[in-house]
Amino acid sequence: MVRGRLRCFKLQPMQDLKVVPHHFLISSLDPMPQHYLHGTCWQDEDLILADGGYARYRAVRNATIQAGQDGAYIVANSTERETVIGTDFSGYHKLFLYQHADHWILSNSLIETARFAAAKGLPVTIDESHLASFFIKGAFGNQLTSLRTSVKEIRLVPATMEVVVPRVSLKSNPTLRLTPATRMAQGETRYGAALREYLRLWVGRMATVLQSDLSMSSELTGGQDSRAVLALMLAAARLVGVDSIRRINFTSNEGQTNDFAVAREIAERFHLRFMTWSDDRRSPPLLGLVEAYEKWKSLCLGVYAPSYFPRRRPVPTSIVFGGSGGEGHRRFYPDIGLDRFLALHRNHIPSAAHFRTLKNAIAEDLAFLQQGPEVSVDPLVLHYRHFRDRCHGGRTPQYTNLLSPLSSASLRRTSSLCTPDQLDRRQVVADILINASRELASMPFDTPKKSFVASHFDEVIDASDAIGSARTSGRVFAAASEHAASGDFTKQKALHLLRDDFLSHYDTMGRTGFFPRSYLEEAKAVVEEAARKGRFSHPVEGCSVSHVILAGELSGLAREDIRRPSTLEAFRSAILRRLPGRI
């Protein structure tokens, strides 16, 4: 067991702490870092890449990074009074806080937090109700559904909050407070003004990277979100040189026939580099197989269930653009109210008691999150932002240097000022596209329903002056990159590791009674087929597989086994699932 109360904190360089490329962990047993950045961050028009870039940024700009800015990062800063640790605005890099008595652990990995606690003799108590949330099929249940986790001592820190660790021995437990960005986000009340500020800022940021020597690629699909990102790039290229857009390699999935055809047409019309590959020493190398698999477990197990494995190691010479965050500015879930929406998922969870606990936790956490600039946001839109987008949209930014202009704090403030009608008709993305590149906005999408109609153009906010006034003097701050040899990762090999991992827990989890036998058998058949073929039909097929692995890992760390529902509870749940309208 850990002994005694923590003495006054010391400051030390972060490289001496428990940090590996994908795994941040600090605890009440550790000295506090003076300054540290894990990931990528935007400060005005400056882009900062990793801790080496943060050191250069502080030296040149004489400024520090706070929580709640755009990017995907964890940042720590210490003063004589306190250490403050937080994440990016969208929470794409996550913080999980373990608390028990005077002991605490803070990490971007749920499973590593639980492992560290168990190794120190601290309790790890399985929360069956939240473990059961992964029974829910579909987009809502593919990731965490509340701030509670499958371990009772561990909670997800809200993206709107930062962790404050006082440097006083008698009050060492951390507290949460709103990030400065959240506290300051309540000023602007007009949609048009907020949109203009977003476009001015992000066209300037695109000008920064277009003038850099980074290796760059960007996803291009037949949809609206990746096209909005391209529109911002085209607007920036008009300011710094139209040929600068060709520094970016645009990629698309050839297996998605409609998507790929539209992407190719766009690339030809705007003379883009499209699907061109070269041996570039600036590009990120492949991960090793075991490193990639462990990185997936560290960052996704108990957080995001589909099986998307990381492939490459992030390097400070390469960035990728994506459309993550776009769904947070329109309706993703049906507009039917929270209670009715949750009732649709009741039959997925075997235990009625687990469902009631989960439902109450979701409602409580949404009430807590519905504050500041999001006080009037529809609860299901809010839930999408803080859970689905944070975990699904935030998956790849944890793996590599992915920049997501549509996940910006500025754009979130903009869409929070929309009317329900503007959200329903997707006016936010229309205003971005039409202002940044009207021609691009007018081109066909992969499906006709995504095309903008006359009302989108008639009601567009004119932001041409904001785009023209974008600042083009931003800088990229990054450390020099050391060339690393490529590893041996392949998806097929990773799926064999996944299968073996699942089978190591299969019998034990079958004996607990927590998982219905049919669920376990289906998961086993799916993972064995994926290992044989070298792929899932879709990564969401792996949800039940990772669910069982999570339960097995936690069962090995916990002091108590996972408990099966009682016979009476199982009978009652079976009856209730057959009654329409019962929750």
Side-chain angles (χ1 to χ4, degrees):
M1 283 292 291
V2 181
R3 299 191 302 270
R5 188 180 287 273
L6 188 68
R7 295 190 294 273
C8 270
F9 294 118
K10 298 178 181 178
L11 300 180
Q12 73 174 33
M14 197 66 193
Q15 60 264 29
D16 294 334
L17 300 179
K18 291 179 285 299
V19 180
V20 297
H22 61 271
H23 170 207
F24 170 96
L25 189 149
I26 194 167
S27 76
S28 51
L29 302 174
D30 293 308
M32 295 294 102
Q34 181 70 62
H35 297 289
Y36 180 70
L37 178 69
H38 180 80
T40 60
C41 178
W42 288 102
Q43 291 282 85
D44 297 322
E45 287 79 17
D46 290 335
L47 176 62
I48 303 102
L49 299 171
D51 195 44
Y54 187 27
R56 295 187 177 191
Y57 174 80
R58 294 196 310 274
V60 173
R61 300 295 196 210
N62 193 29
T64 57
I65 294 170
Q66 294 180 326
Q69 305 302 310
D70 289 343
Y73 65 87
I74 296 168
V75 68
N77 293 295
S78 291
T79 65
E80 293 180 356
R81 186 166 52 91
E82 62 189 18
T83 295
V84 180
I85 306 171
T87 70
D88 58 276
F89 171 80
S90 293
Y92 283 170
H93 273 35
K94 296 155 198 70
L95 284 174
F96 293 95
L97 178 61
Y98 174 102
Q99 288 184 293
H100 174 73
D102 291 333
H103 310 295
W104 59 268
I105 307 162
L106 192 64
S107 178
N108 62 340
S109 169
L110 173 65
I111 194 65
E112 297 294 350
T113 302
R115 288 170 176 168
F116 185 82
K120 298 301 179 183
L122 297 170
V124 175
T125 311
I126 296 173
D127 189 324
E128 288 96 346
S129 297
H130 293 278
L131 180 61
S133 73
F134 290 102
F135 282 121
I136 297 174
K137 295 181 179 179
F140 184 75
N142 284 351
Q143 61 283 312
L144 290 170
T145 54
S146 82
L147 299 173
R148 333 295 167 95
T149 74
S150 300
V151 178
K152 290 184 178 180
E153 293 84 5
I154 303 174
R155 292 205 177 190
L156 175 65
V157 177
T160 54
M161 313 290 284
E162 59 190 8
V163 180
V164 183
V165 184
R167 295 184 61 215
V168 180
S169 62
L170 296 180
K171 192 181 178 183
S172 60
N173 278 336
T175 59
L176 303 184
R177 71 183 178 202
L178 288 173
T179 66
T182 303
R183 296 197 300 269
M184 296 168 57
Q186 303 174 37
E188 188 53 67
T189 58
R190 297 169 297 157
Y191 170 74
L195 176 73
R196 291 184 183 95
E197 172 57 22
Y198 169 78
L199 287 168
R200 183 200 63 75
L201 177 64
W202 272 94
V203 170
R205 288 175 172 177
M206 290 301 189
T208 297
V209 297
L210 289 179
Q211 297 176 94
S212 75
D213 59 359
L214 294 170
S215 169
M216 293 177 280
S217 65
S218 184
E219 179 187 35
L220 185 58
T221 71
Q224 294 178 342
D225 294 339
S226 67
R227 191 176 300 196
V229 174
L230 170 58
L232 295 169
M233 295 171 176
L234 291 170
R238 294 197 297 269
L239 297 178
V240 299
V242 292
D243 289 342
S244 61
I245 194 73
R246 290 189 54 78
R247 306 196 64 232
I248 302 173
N249 180 35
F250 290 87
T251 64
S252 192
N253 185 349
E254 294 184 73
Q256 301 291 326
T257 308
N258 291 344
D259 258 12
F260 190 79
V262 173
R264 182 189 292 277
E265 182 181 357
I266 292 171
E268 291 174 352
R269 170 62 192 85
F270 290 96
H271 308 291
L272 307 176
R273 276 180 59 205
F274 185 62
M275 304 294 287
T276 59
W277 312 101
S278 60
D279 185 14
D280 189 339
R281 289 177 62 86
R282 299 173 300 170
S283 298
L286 277 176
L287 289 164
L289 173 63
V290 174
E291 180 185 2
Y293 186 74
E294 288 302 320
K295 184 172 184 176
W296 169 75
K297 287 186 73 171
S298 287
L299 298 177
C300 293
L301 202 61
V303 181
Y304 181 73
S307 300
Y308 291 92
F309 300 112
R311 297 181 66 249
R312 296 186 179 275
R313 183 178 296 109
V315 291
T317 52
S318 178
I319 58 173
V320 181
F321 287 95
S324 296
E327 294 286 2
H329 312 293
R330 51 185 178 260
R331 290 196 188 279
F332 181 83
Y333 299 128
D335 184 18
I336 58 175
L338 180 62
D339 284 347
R340 186 178 169 196
F341 178 75
L342 293 178
L344 297 176
H345 300 87
R346 166 63 194 95
N347 288 348
H348 295 152
I349 296 182
S351 164
H354 289 165
F355 179 79
R356 285 194 300 271
T357 300
L358 181 64
K359 179 188 173 187
N360 290 337
I362 291 170
E364 290 173 9
D365 289 347
L366 283 176
F368 174 78
L369 292 168
Q370 204 163 23
Q371 58 182 307
E374 294 184 307
V375 68
S376 60
V377 175
D378 180 275
L380 285 173
V381 174
L382 190 70
H383 194 282
Y384 179 89
R385 292 174 174 180
H386 287 271
F387 298 101
R388 173 67 178 174
D389 180 55
R390 189 173 184 187
C391 298
H392 174 69
R395 179 195 73 248
T396 306
Q398 294 181 122
Y399 292 167
T400 191
N401 296 331
L402 177 68
L403 308 180
S404 306
L406 302 186
S407 70
S408 172
S410 177
L411 192 58
R412 180 78 61 81
R413 289 193 292 271
T414 301
S415 64
S416 294
L417 297 169
C418 282
T419 65
D421 178 61
Q422 286 174 312
L423 278 180
D424 289 341
R425 70 170 187 263
R426 305 184 175 202
Q427 188 64 42
V428 177
V429 71
D431 283 342
I432 295 171
L433 265 161
I434 295 169
N435 274 285
S437 178
R438 181 175 286 261
E439 182 180 2
L440 181 60
S442 303
M443 292 183 70
F445 291 85
D446 57 344
T447 60
K449 69 179 182 180
K450 293 180 183 178
S451 296
F452 300 125
V453 298
S455 61
H456 287 111
F457 290 87
D458 292 342
E459 298 183 31
V460 70
I461 299 292
D462 182 6
S464 55
D465 288 349
I467 290 175
S469 64
R471 292 192 292 266
T472 60
S473 56
R475 289 182 54 178
V476 174
F477 292 91
S481 178
E482 296 182 4
H483 181 70
S486 282
D488 60 344
F489 173 83
T490 68
K491 185 187 294 186
Q492 185 169 17
K493 291 177 182 178
L495 287 171
H496 280 87
L497 292 181
L498 183 72
R499 178 201 59 196
D500 294 346
D501 205 351
F502 171 86
L503 292 175
S504 72
H505 299 292
Y506 172 77
D507 289 335
T508 304
M509 290 300 98
R511 290 193 293 271
T512 67
F514 179 81
F515 294 101
R517 175 55 59 180
S518 60
Y519 186 87
L520 284 170
E521 293 302 324
E522 182 179 352
K524 181 181 179 184
V526 163
V527 74
E528 288 183 334
E529 179 73 0
R532 185 179 67 81
K533 288 185 173 180
R535 60 180 176 82
F536 287 111
S537 297
H538 190 283
V540 296
E541 285 189 334
C543 289
S544 58
V545 177
S546 64
H547 191 190
V548 174
I549 294 173
L550 169 66
E553 289 268 354
L554 293 181
S555 184
L557 299 172
R559 294 178 175 177
E560 297 180 359
D561 291 334
I562 299 173
R563 295 166 295 179
R564 73 170 68 227
S566 67
T567 303
L568 177 62
E569 168 65 18
F571 175 75
R572 184 173 182 272
S573 296
I575 294 297
L576 287 176
R577 287 200 298 273
R578 296 172 185 171
L579 297 178
R582 292 301 299 269
I583 302 176

